Amino acid sequence: MGKSEQLCVKTLMEQLNNVEHNISNEDYCKLKENYRLIMTILWINKKYTMILDNYYEFALEIKETQAKLLKIQENEMVNVGKKSIIAFNRRLSNLLCSVRMYVDQTQHELSKLGIKECTKDDFHTYTSEMYDSSVGYQIMELLRNHIQHQGLIVDRITLIRPFFDNNEEYIFLIIDIAYKRLCNIEQYEKKIFLDNILRDMNVDTFNLLWFVDEYVKGLEIVHKKLMEKLFEKIVDAQNQIESILKRNYNQIPSEIGVFGYGDDFLLQYNYVLQASNIPRIVDCYEGKKFFRSSERVKGNYQKNTIRYNM
């Protein structure tokens, strides 16, 4: 058998019992191309899931810190608060790094796939539209660059201690960031197009949780648009893979070794089925609202502010 003939005969081998099936070169190429598309999209999804996981861990840190601070005496709050400020900086850095990885690598992967229905320029358009429409998105992108090149950002938190345990509507912990400090960050005037929203609030500090929440919800919209654009391609790839496998197996196994001329790969069918699933944001704060600024809190509350001078 010559080399050209070898290239036209490919073998599918089920790993569990070594049942072999010869398939055509055309089917082999379809399997390889479609599985590559499926796995690329799956990894884009997994990188987006990392954002959601980091957001959840950040929110969990907020909830656990609030619970601790509400239980302890006022003279114990400083030590607990300072440790929490360090933890918030770590959680925030993790979140922002995962966003940067997701955005950069998604553009790279879309460029490699070469799908005309969804290009890296389309994805760039989605992120740009979200940037232009959301002050929280703009602020968090500015802070990502600041944290990467200049330093940490969280140095002050405020706990709102209600006198009565009858208001479960709000998160009582606030991560304060001074408006003046934001304005002094390099390229603030160039990057923040919606500064008028902040100015119109007429306060000296803002709650970083507001910006983080708006940022992550904006990324959810971006990712949903991307997956909707890719949906037909995903379904077509799933159908082509399923069709080829059903011609060779009565029951499709979970793992199949696909052997070609020096270019073998393992096809894991459960991944094929997962590719069209879009990760969703978990309601980390259980429907509770954020104070946009500690200065806007009114009523029967006591405010305790903790600082960590860096």
Side-chain angles (χ1 to χ4, degrees):
M1 181 182 292
K3 185 175 180 180
S4 60
E5 294 175 295
Q6 286 179 314
L7 284 170
C8 293
V9 179
K10 309 297 174 184
T11 300
L12 274 167
M13 183 178 74
E14 184 175 355
Q15 298 297 297
L16 296 179
N17 57 21
N18 290 335
V19 176
E20 297 185 4
H21 304 268
N22 288 338
I23 61 173
S24 68
N25 184 65
E26 180 183 1
D27 280 351
Y28 170 83
C29 292
K30 284 182 178 180
L31 278 179
K32 182 179 177 183
E33 179 183 352
N34 286 298
Y35 190 63
R36 171 176 168 261
L37 182 144
I38 289 284
M39 292 305 296
T40 299
I41 293 172
L42 188 64
W43 276 112
I44 290 173
N45 251 337
K46 293 299 182 185
K47 288 162 191 171
Y48 174 67
T49 302
M50 288 179 65
I51 296 173
L52 300 188
D53 289 344
N54 282 322
Y55 175 63
Y56 177 79
E57 290 169 6
F58 178 81
L60 190 62
E61 196 81 50
I62 294 292
K63 288 165 51 177
E64 290 179 349
T65 299
Q66 174 182 288
K68 287 178 188 176
L69 292 174
L70 287 172
K71 289 179 181 178
I72 62 179
Q73 298 297 317
E74 195 170 341
N75 61 353
E76 302 175 285
M77 292 178 63
V78 173
N79 287 336
V80 173
K82 285 185 175 181
K83 289 179 182 178
S84 297
I85 286 172
I86 297 299
F88 294 148
N89 276 299
R90 175 164 52 86
R91 298 294 187 193
L92 187 63
S93 295
N94 289 345
L95 173 62
L96 293 174
C97 285
S98 61
V99 173
R100 188 72 268 160
M101 179 182 70
Y102 164 75
V103 171
D104 287 351
Q105 294 189 16
T106 296
Q107 291 186 96
H108 177 69
E109 294 295 349
L110 290 174
S111 179
K112 282 172 57 180
L113 283 177
I115 300 173
K116 64 180 180 179
E117 293 87 352
C118 185
T119 67
K120 70 172 185 177
D121 291 335
D122 293 323
F123 182 71
H124 179 71
T125 298
Y126 303 152
T127 56
S128 296
E129 288 174 349
M130 187 51 58
Y131 184 94
D132 292 342
S133 64
S134 167
V135 68
Y137 200 104
Q138 291 175 20
I139 291 292
M140 294 310 297
E141 283 290 290
L142 181 76
L143 294 183
R144 180 198 59 76
N145 189 65
H146 176 82
I147 290 171
Q148 182 178 353
H149 299 289
Q150 302 296 325
L152 302 178
I153 201 70
V154 180
D155 62 3
R156 172 181 161 183
I157 60 175
T158 295
L159 179 70
I160 309 300
R161 299 173 72 101
F163 292 140
F164 305 101
D165 294 328
N166 59 356
N167 189 342
E168 296 296 329
E169 189 179 357
Y170 285 91
I171 295 293
F172 292 122
L173 188 66
I174 293 172
I175 298 181
D176 293 301
I177 184 165
Y179 179 53
K180 184 176 180 180
R181 185 179 181 194
L182 283 175
C183 292
N184 287 334
I185 292 177
E186 187 177 347
Q187 293 196 316
Y188 178 88
E189 292 184 1
K190 181 180 178 181
K191 297 291 186 181
I192 308 303
F193 311 139
L194 298 175
D195 177 65
N196 61 297
I197 294 175
L198 305 184
R199 288 198 315 270
D200 290 348
M201 286 183 64
N202 196 30
V203 293
D204 293 325
T205 63
F206 295 98
N207 185 1
L208 191 64
L209 300 185
W210 167 34
F211 298 141
V212 172
D213 188 63
E214 191 170 296
Y215 187 47
V216 174
K217 287 178 178 175
L219 287 163
E220 181 184 36
I221 293 171
V222 167
H223 189 70
K224 186 177 179 181
K225 286 182 177 179
L226 172 66
M227 292 301 292
E228 286 173 350
K229 196 85 169 178
L230 289 169
F231 185 75
E232 287 188 12
K233 280 289 183 182
I234 296 170
V235 172
D236 181 59
Q238 289 172 325
N239 289 339
Q240 288 195 55
I241 291 172
E242 182 182 28
S243 174
I244 294 170
L245 296 183
K246 281 187 173 179
R247 291 203 299 270
N248 292 277
Y249 295 97
N250 293 325
Q251 183 176 355
I252 298 175
S254 59
E255 292 187 344
I256 302 167
V258 183
F259 297 89
Y261 186 74
D263 194 5
D264 311 332
F265 64 96
L266 178 66
L267 190 154
Q268 295 174 288
Y269 192 62
N270 60 318
Y271 289 154
V272 176
L273 300 177
Q274 292 174 23
S276 56
N277 297 335
I278 304 177
R280 303 292 183 185
I281 292 179
V282 176
D283 184 7
C284 311
Y285 298 104
E286 300 168 341
K288 295 181 181 180
K289 301 176 184 177
F290 304 104
F291 295 109
R292 292 195 171 188
S293 170
S294 58
E295 298 167 49
R296 289 294 182 89
V297 181
K298 308 294 180 184
N300 296 315
Y301 302 99
Q302 175 186 340
K303 296 180 185 179
N304 296 96
T305 297
I306 303 164
R307 300 174 184 272
Y308 196 120
N309 295 323
M310 299 181 187

